[in-house]
Amino acid sequence: METDVSTLPPRVRQTLDFFRSHGVWHILSRNTPATSCQDAAHRRQRLGKTGIPLHDEVKSLFMKGQFGPLGARHVLLHCRATARFDLEAAAVALDAETALVRVQGEELARLGQGIRYGTVNPFSEAAECIQVFDSGLLTRLTPPHTVMTNAGDLTWGVEFRPAEAIAALEKISPKVVVSRITTLDSEEHTPPVFGILTGNGPESGMALWRHINDHIYASMSEESRLHGDLSYPRVHIQSIPEMGLSMELLERKEEVWLVMQDAIRRFIQDGVTHIALACNTTQYFANQIKDLCKPSGIQFTSMADVVVQHVRDHHLDDLTILGIPIVANMGQYSAYAPLKELGVQSVLETALPHLQEIGYMVKKLGRQGGKDDSKTLNKLVLILRIGVKTRNVLIALTEISVLLERFPRHAKQGISGINIIDCLELYGKFFAKVHLDAMPREIGDRFDEWE
């Protein structure tokens, strides 16, 4: 709906005039009165939702200093709300002759109609002030890659794209500088792009993706920083039918590796930063995958690496690994071989024929569940009864991981008194942490500088 300019407060009108006169994309919005960066971020309206990540809120300082031929000038400094200004760096970026001094209180009020704490922005006094933008504002963090700030009033906000707004300000401001003027390097927070390779079967990759998203949801919800769809990672999935040949890896490893090579090269072309392999058997190729990824700087962490580290960190004992023979024997072709040194036991031979069978049973399960699900679960119960003599079992067969998703109570509480540790879920937690660690933290101790 078109905004009635005549009803806007003067400084909001000035902000809107800036965007309209320069043809810069923006969205003007209303919010309840905001008293700090953190408070404002919680109240901003964007994409039909109340609240934006703190790193998408812009904070500003109104300063003054001496600048050679330009003389005494007012300066506006801008950065993400998760950063802290470095005033010395700002003075150097501007070639200032004196230290920058903050303008506040009555002096700030005398500079313009309605200007006060909480209403400073880059646009209302655009033609009168030197502008300095922290380069971290141009870093693409989380979607939709826009930022927000007040529109000249405590109850008005404006959403914009930093690069476009800066380009327009260069046409009217006395001087515009983009430089690192903060002590927190937000460029360290580059969201990962995940590539999931699957196909043995497709449900394995789907289950891994669900585990990643479920753990992100749980963590961000608990910290009250979940922003719907925008909080989840970008994911590329390749489901390769020939990955199913890995059920007979010994006889078909050359063919399997050829299709995996092709898929990984496609991930590299697509800009993937982290590759996940939703299959226990083909973790055998981990070193070859790492070698293939290394020249491009892409990170591959094998499921076996994650699981072995988990077993070490938690000092797990009395543990049996459950998988097809080539995996569960922890031998030459098993990526889980290091577990043998940690005392992990192989499943008893009596269960091996049933393990091969259950893999094919899961592949034939319908989408809606039913008696075949129960029949397959009973097969798992049989395997545990005749093949496992430990208190803990490590599920290294993605078909069983998929089956357990259909029976979440059993996955959480165990079966027949046996504690279940699902390799695929551990893998999902690992990649969820990669994503969460890349997100700027919404730390609540940097709001004293907001204007």
Side-chain angles (χ1 to χ4, degrees):
M1 185 174 65
E2 188 71 15
T3 302
D4 183 359
V5 178
S6 65
T7 64
L8 297 177
R11 297 188 71 251
V12 178
R13 188 163 58 246
Q14 291 169 353
T15 295
L16 186 59
D17 287 346
F18 163 80
F19 283 102
R20 287 182 172 177
S21 63
H22 291 87
V24 177
W25 182 91
H26 66 285
I27 296 179
L28 201 65
S29 59
R30 296 302 303 271
N31 53 258
T32 52
T35 57
S36 69
C37 280
Q38 186 179 42
D39 188 40
H42 287 163
R43 298 171 188 269
R44 298 295 184 213
Q45 302 293 320
R46 185 171 68 175
L47 289 166
K49 186 178 184 299
T50 300
I52 62 172
L54 185 57
H55 59 261
D56 281 347
E57 178 73 19
V58 176
K59 72 176 172 184
S60 301
L61 278 183
F62 207 121
M63 312 293 290
K64 61 183 177 181
Q66 289 287 335
F67 302 96
L70 291 176
R73 284 283 185 172
H74 289 116
V75 182
L76 295 177
L77 306 181
H78 315 286
C79 72
R80 294 184 184 272
T82 46
R84 184 181 290 279
F85 286 113
D86 182 341
L87 298 184
E88 291 185 5
V92 170
L94 288 169
D95 294 323
E97 295 180 345
T98 61
L100 299 180
V101 178
R102 186 170 181 174
V103 178
Q104 52 189 335
E106 293 183 4
E107 183 180 4
L108 184 65
R110 289 196 297 267
L111 295 175
Q113 183 179 1
I115 186 170
R116 60 186 174 120
Y117 178 84
T119 67
V120 174
N121 67 36
F123 316 113
S124 298
E125 286 76 38
E128 303 166 24
C129 300
I130 294 173
Q131 308 255 14
V132 189
F133 291 85
D134 181 57
S135 56
L137 281 166
L138 299 181
T139 303
R140 287 171 65 85
L141 296 180
T142 52
H145 309 298
T146 60
V147 295
M148 295 188 71
T149 190
N150 74 84
D153 183 87
L154 297 178
T155 64
W156 287 87
V158 62
E159 179 185 359
F160 60 97
R161 300 182 183 114
E164 295 177 10
I166 290 170
L169 287 167
E170 288 174 339
K171 300 175 182 177
I172 60 172
S173 296
K175 185 176 183 179
V176 177
V177 174
V178 177
S179 182
R180 174 59 66 193
I181 59 168
T182 60
T183 57
L184 180 66
D185 189 358
S186 58
E187 290 182 349
E188 295 176 358
H189 300 283
T190 302
V193 179
F194 296 137
I196 297 177
L197 181 56
T198 187
N200 183 20
E203 293 82 1
S204 302
M206 295 160 63
L208 176 60
W209 192 2
R210 281 192 294 271
H211 283 309
I212 293 171
N213 287 343
D214 287 348
H215 290 297
I216 289 171
Y217 176 86
S219 177
M220 298 191 82
S221 294
E222 184 178 350
E223 298 174 4
S224 299
R225 60 187 187 115
L226 183 74
H227 298 280
D229 299 336
L230 305 182
S231 295
Y232 296 102
R234 179 174 294 188
V235 178
H236 296 253
I237 288 191
Q238 292 191 61
S239 184
I240 311 298
E242 292 87 349
M243 288 284 287
L245 300 175
S246 65
M247 294 291 285
E248 298 177 355
L249 184 66
L250 280 176
E251 297 81 7
R252 304 179 188 273
K253 61 178 180 293
E254 288 82 8
E255 187 174 356
V256 173
W257 174 237
L258 283 175
V259 297
M260 289 178 65
Q261 270 185 303
D262 180 66
I264 292 164
R265 289 190 176 112
R266 291 177 186 274
F267 279 147
I268 293 171
Q269 294 172 0
D270 291 341
V272 163
T273 62
H274 294 74
I275 292 177
L277 179 56
C279 170
N280 288 283
T281 311
T282 50
Q283 304 296 324
Y284 164 75
F285 297 107
N287 289 334
Q288 290 164 261
I289 297 173
K290 290 175 183 177
D291 289 343
L292 191 58
C293 292
K294 189 174 181 179
S296 302
I298 294 173
Q299 181 73 40
F300 172 72
T301 303
S302 77
M303 184 158 23
D305 289 342
V306 171
V307 172
V308 170
Q309 192 61 50
H310 178 83
V311 172
R312 284 193 179 120
D313 290 346
H314 292 80
H315 307 289
L316 292 175
D317 55 9
D318 202 20
L319 179 63
T320 297
I321 182 171
L322 204 63
I324 62 173
I326 197 172
V327 173
N329 65 13
M330 296 176 285
Q332 178 184 355
Y333 291 94
S334 174
Y336 294 96
L339 290 176
K340 185 177 290 187
E341 298 178 5
L342 300 176
V344 177
Q345 301 178 30
S346 299
V347 67
L348 299 178
E349 289 189 11
T350 52
L352 293 180
H354 299 286
L355 273 169
Q356 198 79 18
E357 183 181 356
I358 197 173
Y360 288 111
M361 291 176 71
V362 171
K363 292 176 188 295
K364 296 177 182 178
L365 291 178
R367 302 296 181 193
Q368 304 303 319
K371 65 178 182 180
D372 288 339
D373 288 49
S374 297
K375 182 179 179 180
T376 309
L377 181 64
N378 289 336
K379 173 67 73 172
L380 175 59
V381 173
L382 172 65
I383 291 168
L384 294 175
R385 181 167 55 83
I386 67 174
V388 176
K389 301 301 180 185
T390 58
R391 291 181 292 110
N392 304 297
V393 64
L394 191 64
I395 302 299
L397 182 62
T398 53
E399 285 79 9
I400 296 180
S401 299
V402 171
L403 175 66
L404 289 172
E405 272 205 310
R406 296 175 178 238
F407 297 92
R409 181 175 64 84
H410 292 291
K412 290 181 180 180
Q413 299 178 5
I415 298 175
S416 301
I418 297 175
N419 177 47
I420 292 175
I421 302 166
D422 183 5
C423 293
L424 199 66
E425 183 178 7
L426 291 178
Y427 207 32
K429 285 183 178 180
F430 172 84
F431 285 104
K433 186 176 186 302
V434 170
H435 177 73
L436 293 167
D437 287 348
M439 297 298 99
R441 304 298 297 178
E442 302 196 358
I443 303 169
D445 62 354
R446 298 192 176 96
F447 315 124
D448 55 319
E449 300 169 335
W450 184 70
E451 290 189 350

